[in-house]
Amino acid sequence: LFFLEKRFIPAKRILITYSASAVAARRLIADQNTPKVDHWVAPFGCPDGQDMLKNLLAGVDLVEKYLRGESIEPFLIYGRFFDPNVSVPDAIQNKMTRLEDARNDMGKIKIPVTWIIGTYDYMVTRGRVKEILNAPGGGVRELIELATGHNPRTGPEGIESFKLIYESIAKHL
């Protein structure tokens, strides 16, 4: 957002964050230490880091393992090196792991938020998304479900997801 501000100042800013990037976006918007965001769209957004990792790793809860002091071996995730012994404490310190942190952040976010979830999405727990969207004190919240898996970008499902994103933006501008 700072990069854009150097080039032009838009009348409205819409932030679209897919999948895991929704966790960082939530923190960014809740803190509002950046140019103002006017509408946030989170297609197939993960509500919190703990849930995302647990779903991705077939139920292994790295956050709880770390909090219990258990050693966690680094591994490859989507072909990239991931060291939970560094990443998990950083995420905890920056309030990106817990559902409670997500609910607190959502209570601070007063702008409209549109969250799109996939009916067959293995990475996003629908109930946790509903819990953060129902946090007290926040602004307008919209939850849209699409009969797809996680993060479609091509074919009819991808086109349908892009239509939903555009409709949400048009409605809130």
Side-chain angles (χ1 to χ4, degrees):
L1 294 172
F2 286 122
F3 174 80
L4 291 175
E5 289 284 312
K6 291 178 187 174
R7 278 129 190 95
F8 64 95
I9 299 175
K12 298 274 185 173
R13 294 173 190 87
I14 293 95
L15 183 60
I16 302 172
T17 57
Y18 279 85
S19 190
S21 64
V23 177
R26 170 179 51 80
R27 293 293 307 128
L28 176 94
I29 298 168
D31 289 346
Q32 280 296 316
N33 292 329
T34 63
K36 186 176 182 300
V37 173
D38 298 293
H39 179 212
W40 176 28
V41 184
F44 314 99
C46 299
D48 58 89
Q50 183 176 23
D51 183 60
M52 177 196 65
L53 286 170
K54 191 174 174 182
N55 289 339
L56 185 64
L57 300 173
V60 176
D61 192 337
L62 296 180
V63 174
E64 286 304 318
K65 282 176 135 323
Y66 172 80
L67 292 173
R68 287 193 304 260
E70 295 178 27
S71 176
I72 308 168
E73 292 295 321
F75 57 92
L76 293 178
I77 190 165
Y78 293 127
R80 300 203 183 264
F81 181 77
F82 179 74
D83 186 351
N85 301 299
V86 175
S87 300
V88 170
D90 181 62
I92 290 170
Q93 180 181 351
N94 289 296
K95 299 182 189 248
M96 299 172 89
T97 55
R98 299 292 197 162
L99 180 63
E100 298 80 35
D101 294 330
R103 286 179 53 80
N104 288 337
D105 285 345
M106 292 302 288
K108 295 176 192 172
I109 296 173
K110 306 299 182 202
I111 62 170
V113 175
T114 303
W115 211 285
I116 301 171
I117 57 174
T119 304
Y120 312 108
D121 190 342
Y122 70 94
M123 252 178 85
V124 177
T125 304
R126 181 180 295 109
R128 285 174 88 95
V129 171
K130 288 179 181 176
E131 282 190 60
I132 69 168
L133 292 180
N134 288 329
V140 175
R141 306 288 184 252
E142 182 178 24
L143 179 62
I144 302 170
E145 187 168 340
L146 183 61
T148 186
H150 186 72
N151 209 357
R153 301 280 181 107
T154 61
E157 291 175 336
I159 291 169
E160 216 33 57
S161 72
F162 295 131
K163 284 181 187 176
L164 290 172
I165 293 166
Y166 172 76
E167 287 171 6
S168 174
I169 292 169
K171 181 182 357 179
H172 292 285
L173 283 183

